[in-house]
Amino acid sequence: MTPEDRRLSPYTGWTRAHWETLADRQLTAVRAHATERHALIDLPGPASRQGRHSDGLEGFARTFLLAGFRLARSGDTDLAGHAEWYAKGLVAGTDPRSPERWPRLTECGQAKVECASVAIALHETRPWIWDRLDEPARQRIVEWMTDMRGTEVPDNNWVWFRAVTSAFLRSVGAPWCPADIEHAVARTEEWYAGDGWYADGGVREGLGLRHFDHYSGWAMQYYPLWYCRISGPAAAPGLLSRYRDRLRRYLDDVQYLVGDGGRPLLQGRSLTYRYAALCALWTGAVFDATPLPPGRTRRLASGMLRHFTDAGAFDARGLQPLGWHGEFPALRQPYSGPGSPYWSSKGFAGLVLPAEHPVWTEREQRLPCELGDFERRLPAPGWLVRGTAADGVVRVVNHGSDHATHTTAESDDPAYARLAYATHAFPDSTDDALTDPVDSHLALLDAGGRPSHRRPLTRLHLGERTAVSRHRAHWPLGPVPAPYAHDPQPEFRLGPWITSASVLHGPLELRLARVDGPFEEPLRLRLGGYCLASDTPPATDGHPSPGVRVSRPDGLMSSVVGVRGFDRAGVTSARNANALGRHSAAPWLATSVPVEPGAVYGALVCLSGEVHGQDAVTRLRLMVTHEADGTADVRVDWGDGTQDTVRLPPL
């Protein structure tokens, strides 16, 4: 192993040499699974819905991107022979007569994604690969890429796969498509939500922007700036400065979404890409588009990468399996194949910076959650963020983003529609979690005990410590499809409206709810806390408040304590359902009698390694009054001199 340097990197010990060594190890590890001439890398694991041929291209393209970043500043040194190895694969893959030929872009939609990675890697390795290829080989690569021109793509980050490919084709004097670039730029403006944040598509009449997740960073911030890097002076005037300004603002927020030791926020799809979340951080450094000091950028980057390596993201063969820390196939989406995790290669983009760049030479600086407690309001996604230094946990309460695609009822996606997410907790990923959402969820239970779903929600208020949203409760009348499985949504039975609110105080969240008609049957209310997971079963203990707490061996606790209206408590447990451990458990509260229209219900929710909600509830004081129009005014006295007020309006 490369020796640690605790003088330069007092928090991680890692230097650029560690990054280069890990890149080399990944690239050499996948070679054992390549075809004879290296064009397809058939990694072990379940196939994607595109099939093994597409997966083989994916394995090549995504690791080639890593090779591109690794070689960009290698000078004349390529001891591992990455350039020659991938050049051989490029020649074979783009030869239509080769038994290892890649699927054409007209044959396989996934190939369009991989084409962009090939384009960026070719740009970064021009002296190593493109400039050394003979003309027939170059022409075959161009011919394979030109199928991208004007091709149909989904209306989201995919528009940039076409634009980046056209930029590369233009840079080598090949036919390209101006309309593809113009379309990507125009659609990106439609998806800009302000404050540096992009939605990943999703503009629909009546819905607005609500597709927020890591794609805002590892796609919507990355591709536009790398398009400018490839295009150089050919990029439209002002485009580079526009994208730089937005990334700078975005990174000012994103630094707060990382917990102790570099744990990223667990929310959204494609989480098997792991430390691809570093992509936006490195892109900010590459384009001088970051508000972060160089030492903090490297601390965030090395911290997150080391978090995953220490947690088992690489197996005994040196491969990244589908999963989060280790292998966990249930986390994958249907479009994910065994090569998909290597989109994490984007997290190595910092290697295109020279070794003498301050991001590699300045001393590491502490993370925001290591400097002290903080709170952050993110208007674009509708999130309130709270981090606590004592336990290193970052929590996000969500009253604005759910990845909905319809103005009417949809089943909940656990990765998007929960009331809260965190760096240390994540919903279970099973069929039961789809049909019976519990953790960080608020539901009405019908006569059969079936819970309602939340999506789509409507944001009503986003303050500094308070947030309010509303949704119409609805129950699926058929099987709930897995997200992105292309299965149709079931019909839904509609119910009353639920107005929910969050009031934050350190690691505590006072979660409030009121229910307004129409009522066609008696309904009970259930509220869930954060789901904890570990490789040993979480311990459980109850309280007479009512309340219940689950805790992990490392001291992290998740608790819910009734404040108003709840009189039952329990825990939902599972095995092999959670990406963070074999055993998982989520505490919950419920009413034993039907809810009263317009009444306010409340509970204290806590995820912490230091504070327990049962201790805090003894100091909490709640006063509820109703205005003439039915609005419930809730005044909260936390018992330490802090007070908050939140309003829950009627329909």
Side-chain angles (χ1 to χ4, degrees):
M1 292 292 292
T2 303
E4 291 187 355
D5 186 341
R6 291 288 172 172
R7 181 197 61 80
L8 180 64
S9 303
Y11 301 101
T12 69
W14 279 27
T15 65
R16 182 186 176 100
H18 292 84
W19 285 76
E20 292 174 339
T21 298
L22 184 55
D24 288 338
R25 288 181 174 177
Q26 290 186 72
L27 292 169
T28 53
V30 300
R31 293 183 184 182
H33 304 275
T35 48
E36 182 180 359
R37 296 174 63 195
H38 316 162
L40 302 170
I41 299 179
D42 187 16
L43 295 164
S48 71
R49 65 186 174 205
Q50 290 82 24
R52 285 289 179 185
H53 192 196
S54 171
D55 295 346
L57 167 60
E58 186 176 65
F60 177 92
R62 299 188 179 197
T63 57
F64 181 36
L65 182 63
L66 176 59
F69 294 147
R70 175 68 178 95
L71 291 168
R73 290 286 179 172
S74 293
D76 295 325
T77 305
D78 181 18
L79 298 178
H82 300 313
E84 182 181 357
W85 198 91
Y86 279 95
K88 188 174 182 180
L90 282 161
V91 172
T94 55
D95 182 352
R97 300 164 299 179
S98 169
E100 300 179 28
R101 75 166 184 90
W102 293 340
R104 296 190 67 88
L105 279 65
T106 53
E107 296 176 323
C108 174
Q110 186 64 32
K112 301 171 187 178
V113 182
E114 312 316 323
C115 184
S117 291
V118 170
I120 292 172
L122 281 170
H123 173 78
E124 297 299 333
T125 59
R126 282 178 193 263
W128 284 102
I129 296 178
W130 184 262
D131 292 348
R132 298 180 184 183
L133 291 172
D134 59 32
E135 191 56 33
R138 292 182 188 174
Q139 188 57 40
R140 286 195 295 272
I141 293 172
V142 165
E143 289 174 358
W144 182 76
M145 285 186 164
T146 52
D147 279 346
M148 182 72 96
R149 295 178 302 166
T151 188
E152 183 177 352
V153 294
D155 195 33
N156 56 15
N157 67 89
W158 281 48
V159 300
W160 280 104
F161 304 149
R162 293 190 313 194
V164 164
T165 301
S166 267
F168 178 77
L169 290 171
R170 177 174 58 189
S171 75
V172 297
W176 57 288
C177 184
D180 287 349
I181 295 171
E182 294 165 3
H183 180 73
V185 172
R187 295 305 289 151
T188 299
E189 293 308 297
E190 293 288 328
W191 301 328
Y192 184 59
D195 297 318
W197 282 78
Y198 292 103
D200 182 25
V203 177
R204 287 173 175 82
E205 186 176 354
L207 275 176
L209 297 172
R210 54 179 66 223
H211 289 25
F212 296 100
D213 52 28
H214 287 294
Y215 276 91
S216 187
W218 65 36
M220 301 307 300
Q221 300 285 359
Y222 164 73
Y223 287 110
L225 280 163
W226 236 272
Y227 159 80
C228 292
R229 180 175 171 90
I230 296 171
S231 299
L239 210 57
L240 176 60
S241 61
R242 179 195 307 172
Y243 295 144
R244 288 175 64 205
D245 290 346
R246 290 177 180 176
L247 177 55
R248 187 174 290 110
R249 176 63 183 85
Y250 174 75
L251 292 176
D252 195 35
D253 283 341
V254 166
Q255 63 175 320
Y256 293 97
L257 298 179
V258 180
D260 67 331
R263 298 170 187 257
L265 179 68
L266 279 136
Q267 178 270 342
R269 66 190 178 100
S270 302
L271 290 176
T272 193
Y273 301 162
R274 296 182 171 98
Y275 52 83
L278 296 174
C279 176
L281 286 165
W282 285 127
T283 302
V286 170
F287 290 89
D288 190 22
T290 179
L292 309 184
R296 181 171 293 173
T297 293
R298 193 175 76 259
R299 167 70 179 106
L300 283 161
S302 291
M304 191 179 297
L305 183 60
R306 180 153 194 180
H307 166 73
F308 279 107
T309 56
D310 290 350
F314 297 94
D315 64 19
R317 300 161 295 186
L319 304 177
Q320 286 190 63
L322 287 156
W324 181 246
H325 287 154
E327 184 175 8
F328 187 68
L331 190 69
R332 74 185 187 105
Q333 272 76 50
Y335 54 75
S336 301
S340 293
Y342 287 89
W343 236 36
S344 63
S345 296
K346 294 178 176 183
F348 278 76
L351 291 179
V352 308
L353 294 166
E356 60 272 15
H357 191 281
V359 81
W360 293 117
T361 60
E362 288 196 7
R363 185 179 171 88
E364 282 182 345
Q365 296 187 20
R366 286 188 288 178
L367 303 176
C369 71
E370 295 167 336
L371 291 168
D373 295 355
F374 64 81
E375 57 188 31
R376 193 83 174 179
R377 178 177 180 266
L378 305 186
W383 294 348
L384 294 181
V385 184
R386 180 61 65 100
T388 45
D391 49 27
V393 178
V394 175
R395 310 153 194 83
V396 169
V397 295
N398 170 34
H399 287 271
S401 178
D402 55 17
H403 214 267
T405 57
H406 300 89
T407 55
T408 55
E410 287 185 61
S411 57
D412 287 348
D413 183 337
Y416 289 99
R418 294 296 197 254
L419 277 162
Y421 294 93
T423 54
H424 290 58
F426 190 61
D428 286 344
S429 302
T430 61
D431 290 342
D432 287 344
L434 294 174
T435 58
D436 188 8
V438 175
D439 66 282
S440 292
H441 195 265
L442 185 66
L444 289 170
L445 305 178
D446 66 11
R450 292 178 291 269
S452 62
H453 285 230
R454 185 187 189 206
R455 193 166 61 157
L457 63 90
T458 300
R459 182 196 316 185
L460 300 182
H461 164 75
L462 190 75
E464 295 303 320
R465 295 195 301 266
T466 60
V468 184
S469 61
R470 175 180 288 154
H471 69 279
R472 189 167 189 183
H474 48 279
W475 289 264
L477 298 177
V480 176
Y484 321 107
H486 295 327
D487 295 331
Q489 284 281 324
E491 296 294 322
F492 290 91
R493 175 168 56 91
L494 300 180
W497 293 84
I498 303 177
T499 303
S500 56
S502 297
V503 185
L504 302 186
H505 187 71
L508 302 170
E509 176 196 350
L510 175 63
R511 197 169 292 171
L512 303 167
R514 67 174 289 171
V515 183
D516 293 280
F519 282 82
E520 296 182 357
E521 62 177 309
L523 300 167
R524 295 183 298 113
L525 188 65
R526 186 179 69 188
L527 179 150
Y530 290 90
C531 182
L532 282 192
S534 65
D535 286 335
T536 57
T540 301
D541 64 317
H543 296 275
S545 296
V548 64
R549 173 179 62 183
V550 296
S551 56
R552 295 195 320 206
D554 63 0
L556 187 65
M557 299 173 288
S558 172
S559 64
V560 289
V561 183
V563 175
R564 184 182 174 95
F566 292 102
D567 58 358
R568 292 187 59 210
V571 174
T572 297
S573 301
R575 292 192 61 179
N576 300 319
N578 199 287
L580 295 181
R582 291 193 300 271
H583 301 270
S584 55
W588 55 263
L589 299 173
T591 63
S592 61
V593 297
V595 296
E596 298 179 17
V600 174
Y601 297 81
L604 206 56
V605 178
C606 185
L607 175 69
S608 177
E610 298 290 325
V611 175
H612 173 35
Q614 181 66 34
D615 303 326
V617 79
T618 59
R619 300 186 298 271
L620 183 69
R621 295 293 180 268
L622 210 64
M623 180 177 291
V624 180
T625 59
H626 286 83
E627 299 179 8
D629 67 354
T631 296
D633 285 321
V634 183
R635 284 181 286 175
V636 186
D637 186 337
W638 292 98
D640 60 359
T642 305
Q643 295 182 338
D644 289 290
T645 301
V646 64
R647 304 175 81 241
L648 280 68
L651 287 174

